[in-house]
Amino acid sequence: MRLADVAGQDHAVALLRRAVAAGRVPHAYLFDGPEGVGKRGAAIGLALALDCPARECGTCDVCRRILAGNHPDVRIVAPVTAQIVIDQVQELVMLAASRPHEAPARVLIIEEAHRLNANAANCLLKTLEEPFPGTHLVLVTSAPDRLLPTIRSRTQRVRFVPVKASTLVEIAVRRSIDRPRAETAAALAGGSVARLLDLLGTEGDQEVWNAVTELRAAAAKKDIGAIFDAASAYSDKEGKEKLPEVLTLLGLFYRDALAEAVGAGDLVLLRERADELRSVAATRLPSLRRALAAVADADAALAANVNPAIAIERLLLEMRPCEQGRAA
């Protein structure tokens, strides 16, 4: 991945490019941010920018070997178990003590650096402070506070942020995903490109949308038994596991409907669901606010280990005025 291919991280990418252009790349970086937002890709992109003769062209022999993990001067270390152990770090320390084999710079990347065990972390300290000239270490982590303070103090921190939903939608659309599905997957991805691609690969996003549609249909029915039938689907382990994502998407749907109702259509994410949003937005605002608040209450109930089926029964009862008002 080239730096140009890192989506939604304009600030981080600009910082790295300025450092490369000025010839002032620090000897040690700490890339921190949520899972799946491009930290590892940016670390590889930095290696391309430093070692590619054409500055990260992505197609030359050097770039191909780096991207394939076959370049002797670009090494990636990741946990093989729950921890990164001292043997893995000792290999990096030996590499960092010598000049690059063939490239202008050696780039050593440690994935999930917060998994360094105590011995491995202490082994790395001196190298972080003073590696051989031309060697750059990049520690990648989603939990920087779990790193030793002495490690954090020896690195220049680059923060990565959740990717905007609009950017995630465009990534999905470029992969030939229809826009309604792209918007649904982006809403569930939580700012993570990796999560977005996982959803698109398994069609989990469509399953969640179907579950949201079923809950809304149950709340719209006059027969109270429909509520208990719908809630019973979440009484087993499988139902409970998928419920957080269902509530996330349901809450976003009502949030978008509320934005539509108050004339703030520019804030809507699920734009391709405009007809459905307008039908809900046409109900009385108190009913819509009540439904949205009920989703938040159900989420809090799950966090407090309330029986999922009971939480959904209560949610659907609170949704009835909104959904039945739409149906009328």
Side-chain angles (χ1 to χ4, degrees), residues 56-73:
E56 60 168 340
C57 70
T59 58
C60 69
D61 177 66
V62 171
C63 286
R64 288 199 303 270
R65 285 192 290 151
I66 290 174
L67 292 171
N70 295 327
H71 198 288
D73 291 319

Side-chain angles (χ1 to χ4, degrees), residues 303-326:
N305 290 319
V306 171
N307 183 293
I310 293 175
I312 295 304
E313 287 172 5
R314 179 179 177 184
L315 167 63
L316 292 173
L317 289 170
E318 293 295 309
M319 288 167 54
R320 290 188 89 195
C322 177
E323 293 297 340
Q324 290 181 353
R326 170 186 62 85

Side-chain angles (χ1 to χ4, degrees), residues 8-21:
Q9 304 296 340
D10 294 349
H11 176 75
V13 168
L15 186 153
L16 296 174
R17 280 183 163 160
R18 285 197 300 270
V20 171

Side-chain angles (χ1 to χ4, degrees), residues 77-81 83-93 120:
V77 167
V80 292
T81 59
Q83 298 180 329
I84 297 174
V85 297
I86 192 168
D87 289 349
Q88 293 175 279
V89 171
Q90 284 175 334
E91 183 181 0
L92 292 187
V93 168

Side-chain angles (χ1 to χ4, degrees), residues 245-318:
E245 289 190 335
V246 174
L247 293 178
T248 294
L249 189 55
L250 180 62
L252 178 64
F253 179 83
Y254 283 138
R255 173 260 185 203
D256 278 2
L258 187 60
E260 187 74 38
V262 298
D266 56 316
L267 299 179
V268 170
L269 173 60
L270 303 174
R271 297 180 183 274
E272 294 297 318
R273 312 280 181 180
D275 291 342
E276 291 178 76
L277 291 172
R278 279 194 289 269
S279 71
V280 175
T283 63
R284 292 184 302 138
L285 279 179
S287 297
L288 184 50
R289 292 195 187 100
R290 178 178 171 181
L292 182 56
V295 176
D297 290 343
D299 194 46
L302 287 180
N305 290 319
V306 171
N307 183 293
I310 293 175
I312 295 304
E313 287 172 5
R314 179 179 177 184
L315 167 63
L316 292 173
L317 289 170
E318 293 295 309

